[in-house]
Amino acid sequence: LFPTLGCREGVLPGNFCVAVTIDHHCIEPAQFVFSCPAGNMDVTAEPLLQSSSGKISARCRVCGVTHESITDTDGREGFVAGSLSFGQNARDGSVDESDILGYLVYLVDDCSQRLLGVPVASIGRTLSSELGCCTSDAYKVQFKAKLPSGVTNASLMVVPNTTAGIIPIGAVAGSITDFIQPPRLGTVGQSRRTTGMPYLCVLC
């Protein structure tokens, strides 16, 4: 969710609340009005969006992410690992790391929805915010994760961690496919004589 002010508590039936995005240069200004229908008795029902102004958009995202496939270096089924390089944060197309604390990397699906509740990697800001050009390998992280059940392919999304909080969407890098190491084939060889009689054994 985008960082907002307002609508922090539940909305009573027949009432409304107004949520506005926080004042931060990484967040596009927007306002949303939510309401709860009069007579509603379902405490689990989500409020309805009545109106909005502006748009849900992030002005900050990293530059220089790769869109090539990422090699899985973990041969176990259901696990992925590897490395990812990316550039600095850019605001409206220009490199700007002011108010950036660092970066988080998430596994996401084809719709950029997070597959896990926690990031698979993180790194703090290390470069000067005055650096004006995008350096595609300014940052490099190692990651590893256990995939959710039934998932064999995912993408990596890099999001800035700002002084106002974590930006909920970011730049999506290439995909990674679960690599399963084939079982090692047994080889047949002759053992040393220990009883005076030769025999065969399987070396695994």
Side-chain angles (χ1 to χ4, degrees):
L1 299 178
F2 269 72
T4 58
L5 300 175
C7 292
R8 297 299 180 92
E9 305 295 333
V11 184
L12 296 175
N15 288 297
F16 68 92
C17 68
V18 179
V20 294
T21 53
I22 62 172
D23 183 15
H24 194 273
H25 66 249
C26 280
I27 304 297
E28 194 76 32
Q31 175 178 291
F32 310 92
V33 179
F34 297 91
S35 68
C36 180
N40 175 67
M41 301 297 291
D42 184 2
V43 296
T44 64
E46 296 184 356
L48 305 176
L49 177 62
Q50 291 295 111
S51 62
S52 64
S53 60
K55 61 181 180 178
I56 300 177
S57 178
R59 300 172 64 188
C60 292
R61 64 176 53 209
V62 299
C63 63
V65 294
T66 179
H67 296 290
E68 298 180 357
S69 298
I70 300 169
T71 301
D72 178 18
T73 59
D74 190 323
R76 296 176 296 169
E77 183 177 5
F79 293 83
V80 291
S83 62
L84 175 68
S85 297
F86 53 89
Q88 313 96 303
N89 177 74
R91 179 165 64 95
D92 296 334
S94 299
V95 170
D96 182 356
E97 288 193 298
S98 60
D99 295 331
I100 299 296
L101 302 177
Y103 304 93
L104 304 175
V105 180
Y106 290 91
L107 282 181
V108 297
D109 61 17
D110 292 340
C111 296
S112 297
Q113 297 296 310
R114 297 176 187 176
L115 295 173
L116 303 173
V118 296
V120 297
S122 64
I123 190 171
R125 190 190 74 179
T126 59
L127 298 182
S128 169
S129 60
E130 298 179 357
L131 187 62
C133 298
C134 179
T135 305
S136 59
D137 59 351
Y139 295 94
K140 184 175 182 178
V141 296
Q142 304 290 330
F143 66 89
K144 58 181 179 179
K146 186 179 187 302
L147 295 171
S149 177
V151 175
T152 60
N153 181 274
S155 294
L156 294 167
M157 182 170 69
V158 184
V159 300
N161 181 17
T162 76
T163 54
I166 299 171
I167 303 298
I169 58 175
V172 178
S175 62
I176 184 168
T177 300
D178 186 14
F179 167 69
I180 303 174
Q181 178 70 45
R184 295 179 61 186
L185 298 177
T187 57
V188 178
Q190 185 172 353
S191 73
R192 293 183 177 179
R193 294 175 182 261
T194 57
T195 61
M197 294 292 293
Y199 63 92
L200 297 179
C201 67
V202 177
L203 304 177
C204 297

